[in-house]
Structures are given as structure tokens and as C-alpha cells.
Amino acid sequence: MISNFADRNERQPARIDMHVHMVGNGWGGSGGWLRLSGWHRRLAGFMVRQLGMPGSALEGDLETLYAELLLRLVRESSFDAIVLLAHERVHDPDGTPREDLGSMFVPNDVVLGLAKKHREFLAGVSIHPARSDALDELERCIAAGAVLMKCLPNCQNIDFSDRRYRRFWERMAEVRLPLLAHTGGEHTVPIINAALADPKLLRFPLECGVTVIAAHCGTSSGLFDRDYFEDWAMMLREFPNLYGDISAMVSLNRCGHLLDCLRDEIALRIVHGSDFPVPVLGHRLRWQRSLARHTFRRIQKLQNPLERDWQFKEALGFTDEIATRVTGLLRLDLIRERAL
Ligand SMILES: [Zn+2]
């Protein structure tokens, strides 16, 4: 199963996990930061220890330790590459950055730099479209090899339907840079405006021609979140440029709609992502009898979370196409051309 980008037949599509978060605290001078309090600190400590890193990594050179860990996990998995995501700061609608809000900032240069160094990493940048320099930053990231642009609208305070962003979306469409947009509830990053998680707000970038991937297919993250899954599924009929990722859906909270993503009209628009470092837990799928006991036990024991996430999905019936489909959306041809 273990493969490598370089060894694979050129015509064979690469297997890509298109939703992996970069994490860092700016220790090495990247300009990024991590600010955790209350239960978010406990959650981060739990995640770090689960990954086999010491709890003290949160205070040290977290970026380097985390990137090394990821590199090892990709190499020891059945994936050729992962899209590594930057994380933008919260901004007011007038474009003022709000350093006082949010829990982390991972600058675009961190993921662009890592993608230059390692072919296993592809850069997913993050730009608030209200920024006064948003278009310049978009051009800079395109030139530096970004494969997609990620936003968490409810956490970063982005209203995708704001007409002032037309030029920004049109430019993304022109260069075929997809938008990976968080949809549905969120519990690992603080919420600024929950209403902005509605996938219907994505109509405007879709109408501007942007390829949009709705992260988590609009599913709810907690008991009191609104579930937008059917709203998102309805939009698939209207917009051929709309997709959904099944990241963080092998979990206790979001797995309710995972099997719905195998429905004929939906499966063709699904791409695979893990949402690492969000923990991969197949327990609820087992309680619901979606997985046989021995299958659950075998897969839950896998040490590599990227591989564990994929194998649970494979056992539920997701095909290899789900892991390779995103290759056609990420403008990899343009990036390879430039590298030649
Ligand atoms: Zn995510």
C-alpha cells in the first residue's frame, strides 16, 4: 500500500488527503501564534499527546516537530501527498485584522515554505477577502504554488455572499484555485458568527465560477448546531462546481451523515480529507452497526491516524476514486508546468 509521489506512474492519479491542518506557535519566528485558554488548551494538550508528542511541545518549536511528524505519517500511509492548511486571522468586515480574537494564526508562508521543501506537502493558503491587500496576497500565493484557499467563515468572520468580494472570487475562478470552505458547526476553534457556517452563502463564489469544496458537507459538530447537510446536497444539483469533503466525519459528532455521502447523486462530488489533527474515532459507527466488530477493532488499532481515517471510510464503502478525485481540482498541472 505504501507509495511515493515520485515512484508512481505519471498517468496514475495521486492519492491525496486534502484537509490537514498546519499547527504552530511562531516559536521559530514565522509570525504565527497559538493562543489557547480553558477547554481549548486541554483539547490541544490531548491532541498533542495523542500524536505521541510531549505536552511541552506546545511551548517549544511546535511547527518543526509537527511538520516532521506529518511527513512521517504521510510516508508511512497509502497517501502520496496531503494539502497542508494555513489559518487566517479574524478580520472585521471592513478588513481590520482582530489580533484580539481567534485562537491561532498560521501564515501562508509557513505552508508555502513546507510545500517547497517536501513533495508530500501541497500548500492550502488562507486569506480573508476583506483584507486591504487580499488581491495582492492572492496573487503572491498563486505565484508561490498554492493549490487551494481555505476559510472558516464562522470563525474568521467571512460572509462569502458579500458583493465586495466579487473580484477576489473571479480571480480565483480564472486561475482555477478552489475554495475550501468550512460549513456547519465547529468546536475546535472559537466561533465569531455561527450563521456564517451556512453553505447557502457559498452561492456567490459558485456563481462567480469558483470550484468550491464544502468541508464536512455542512454537517453539525454538536448537539445544538444546525445541520446543513440537506441544504448542501440540494445545491449539488444546481452547481456542478460544488463538492464536499468528508473530513472529521469518522468522529463521534459528525458521522451521522457519512453513509449518506455514498448516495449515488452525492458520491460523485465527494473528496477525501481527514481534518488531522482532529481525532479519528470509529466508535459511534460501530455502535450503529455500520462496522463489523472485528473490522472496527482492526482499524481503530492502527497507529497512523491518516491511514486509520481512510481505512474506516474504505470499510464503509468509499472507493479509491474518493481519494484521487481531488487531484483534478487542485491545479497540479499548472504547478508542475511552472516547476519544469
Ligand atoms: Zn478542518
Side-chain angles (χ1 to χ4, degrees):
M1 283 286 272
I2 293 170
S3 59
N4 185 294
F5 220 42
D7 301 338
R8 292 175 78 98
N9 183 322
E10 272 296 296
R11 282 168 303 174
Q12 196 175 5
R15 290 167 53 79
I16 295 177
D17 178 339
M18 48 63 71
H19 190 140
V20 174
H21 290 275
M22 181 58 198
V23 174
N25 52 13
W27 190 90
S30 69
W33 44 260
L34 186 65
R35 195 168 44 217
L36 299 164
S37 55
W39 91 274
H40 283 115
R41 171 158 286 278
R42 287 199 294 280
L43 183 67
F46 167 75
M47 284 179 172
V48 160
R49 284 190 299 278
Q50 247 223 342
L51 301 175
M53 299 199 288
S56 60
L58 285 172
E59 325 298 339
D61 187 0
L62 182 60
E63 265 157 31
T64 304
L65 286 171
Y66 185 83
E68 281 169 1
L69 169 78
L70 270 180
L71 199 56
R72 179 172 62 76
L73 292 178
V74 184
R75 287 177 179 164
E76 292 175 358
S77 78
S78 59
F79 290 97
D80 302 303
I82 57 175
V83 178
L84 199 50
L85 303 172
H87 190 93
E88 174 65 290
R89 292 157 295 180
V90 180
H91 285 67
D92 285 335
D94 68 1
T96 309
R98 294 291 303 268
E99 297 270 349
D100 56 320
L101 299 173
S103 58
M104 70 171 179
F105 172 41
V106 178
N108 293 328
D109 279 338
V110 172
V111 294
L112 290 165
L114 283 165
K116 278 210 176 78
K117 257 200 236 160
H118 306 286
R119 60 187 303 123
E120 290 86 350
F121 296 154
L122 299 164
V125 296
S126 187
I127 305 166
H128 196 303
R131 273 169 61 166
S132 56
D133 66 342
L135 273 166
D136 292 340
E137 180 63 2
L138 180 61
E139 291 304 330
R140 195 181 74 82
C141 292
I142 292 164
V147 298
L148 61 75
M149 205 285 279
K150 164 80 194 285
C151 289
L152 281 98
N154 47 341
C155 304
Q156 291 161 340
N157 200 23
I158 302 171
D159 178 356
F160 292 129
S161 69
D162 191 323
R163 292 307 191 251
R164 291 173 305 164
Y165 304 153
R166 178 184 295 278
R167 187 67 205 114
F168 190 85
W169 303 134
E170 285 175 349
R171 184 61 185 145
M172 282 181 62
E174 273 164 25
V175 297
R176 294 197 282 120
L177 186 72
L179 168 65
L180 171 59
H182 177 95
T183 51
E186 169 64 43
H187 278 116
T188 42
V189 178
I191 302 289
I192 304 294
N193 181 350
L196 296 176
D198 187 340
K200 292 189 285 302
L201 297 170
L202 290 165
R203 297 182 69 88
F204 185 46
L206 285 161
E207 283 161 3
C208 289
V210 180
T211 295
V212 174
I213 303 168
H216 325 301
C217 304
T219 52
S220 62
S221 164
L223 283 178
F224 306 107
D225 290 338
R226 169 120 186 248
D227 181 356
Y228 296 102
F229 180 81
E230 292 301 337
D231 300 78
W232 166 79
M234 290 278 285
M235 287 172 71
L236 290 176
R237 289 183 213 161
E238 194 181 344
F239 296 104
N241 47 335
L242 176 61
Y243 294 80
D245 84 20
I246 43 172
S247 67
M249 284 173 79
V250 180
S251 59
L252 302 182
N253 47 0
R254 285 192 200 277
C255 72
H257 284 296
L258 191 51
L259 293 176
D260 291 328
C261 293
L262 290 165
R263 276 162 29 193
D264 281 350
E265 74 280 15
I266 294 180
L268 290 171
R269 306 287 193 85
I270 295 292
V271 295
H272 167 70
S274 61
D275 210 8
F276 182 86
V278 171
V280 181
L281 301 167
H283 302 72
R284 192 171 143 201
L285 290 162
R286 169 62 199 141
W287 300 329
Q288 293 169 342
R289 302 277 190 269
S290 303
L291 293 164
R293 187 186 299 146
H294 65 276
T295 309
F296 166 73
R297 284 195 181 151
R298 175 178 61 79
I299 300 176
Q300 191 64 51
K301 262 193 252 165
L302 292 175
Q303 289 296 309
N304 188 328
L306 302 180
E307 193 57 32
R308 191 189 317 143
D309 181 61
W310 171 249
Q311 290 205 19
F312 272 131
K313 289 170 182 167
E314 200 175 35
L316 292 170
F318 289 93
T319 63
D320 232 32
E321 258 191 305
I322 305 273
T324 55
R325 177 168 294 133
V326 82
T327 324
L329 306 180
L330 295 179
R331 66 194 290 275
L332 295 178
D333 49 339
L334 299 178
I335 291 166
R336 281 195 194 115
E337 242 171 56
R338 215 195 55 244
L340 290 175

